[in-house]
Amino acid sequence: MKKLFIKNFKTKLAIFLIIASLIPIAALEVISFYDGVRYQQHVFNRLEHEEIEGQIKLFDYWMANSQKDITVMVDMFEEYVARDVSAKMLGAALDLLLLRNDNIINTYYTNEDGLNIVSGGQSYVVDGRNRKWYKDAVERKWAISMPYEDALTSEYVITISHKILKAGELEGVLGFDILFNQVMDK
């Protein structure tokens, strides 16, 4: 087989220059491609971060409004407890609290003696004093639980609980269940 030899110096120089110019062009093309990808990723991350911040602000707003509603409900319920009303009247007050806010699916009250009162006349088989929402509220006044499966509805809920005081002493804990899916939708 014959080897191809280029005898003309000008042709050799032209081929060399063409090849030499293609190397930086290819390198610049690769660099600009990666810069473009990095820039797109930066823009995407920034937009995603702004969207997440917006969703957090909306959730904070919703939570603040819910907390104000719950604070009003707690104050109203503390008045009932302070007047030493019957368990039936406390149950009616829980029903009223439940109707007042669309986000709440259950309201319940457990006092220090172990009396469990649930809205809607539902039976409550678990002693609320042994539940985490009760213990956390006793310890911190307000408590928001991690999502868990509710014993009454078999739905995943978040419980917001608040310590109820009577003459400065612990009387019990008032709890509100909010559907976890509803919170996630917010």
Side-chain angles (χ1 to χ4, degrees):
M1 180 176 264
K2 274 184 153 183
K3 289 188 178 180
L4 180 65
F5 287 106
I6 300 173
K7 295 183 181 185
N8 188 345
F9 176 73
K10 288 182 183 179
T11 307
K12 285 181 183 178
L13 183 61
I15 291 173
F16 174 75
L17 289 176
I18 290 172
I19 291 173
S21 66
L22 287 177
I23 292 172
I25 290 172
L28 286 174
E29 195 64 35
V30 169
I31 290 170
S32 67
F33 173 76
Y34 283 116
D35 281 345
V37 168
R38 278 198 334 240
Y39 177 74
Q40 285 177 343
Q41 188 65 32
H42 172 73
V43 168
F44 176 74
N45 285 342
R46 196 168 121 222
L47 289 173
E48 189 176 64
H49 179 72
E50 288 174 4
E51 182 181 336
I52 289 171
E53 277 185 359
Q55 289 176 355
I56 288 171
K57 285 179 184 177
L58 282 174
F59 179 74
D60 286 345
Y61 177 73
W62 175 79
M63 197 64 178
N65 283 342
S66 293
Q67 188 173 4
K68 286 177 188 174
D69 283 350
I70 289 171
T71 301
V72 168
M73 292 181 208
V74 166
D75 291 343
M76 188 176 86
F77 197 78
E78 277 184 333
E79 285 183 35
Y80 276 103
V81 170
R83 285 192 252 150
D84 287 324
V85 297
S86 67
K88 186 176 181 179
M89 286 293 290
L90 289 177
L94 290 176
D95 288 339
L96 181 65
L97 298 180
L98 186 62
L99 292 173
R100 183 172 160 78
N101 191 317
D102 294 339
N103 297 320
I104 298 171
I105 62 166
N106 289 327
T107 55
Y108 37 85
Y109 174 70
T110 300
N111 72 5
E112 273 294 289
D113 298 331
L115 173 66
N116 295 309
I117 304 168
V118 180
S119 62
Q122 300 177 51
S123 61
Y124 195 72
V125 294
V126 178
D127 186 356
R129 297 174 296 176
N130 296 328
R131 301 296 298 261
K132 184 167 177 34
W133 58 264
Y134 184 92
K135 293 175 182 177
D136 288 348
V138 167
E139 184 180 314
R140 296 187 299 249
K141 185 176 179 181
W142 274 101
I144 300 176
S145 73
M146 296 294 290
Y148 67 94
E149 188 174 348
D150 182 44
L152 297 172
T153 61
S154 298
E155 298 275 354
Y156 277 94
V157 297
I158 292 176
T159 297
I160 299 174
S161 52
H162 190 279
K163 180 173 21 178
I164 301 294
L165 301 174
K166 180 178 173 184
E169 296 291 320
L170 176 67
E171 183 66 23
V173 173
L174 179 62
F176 305 92
D177 285 342
I178 298 173
L179 283 173
F180 180 65
N181 293 339
Q182 199 172 35
V183 172
M184 293 307 291
D185 289 344
K186 300 293 180 196

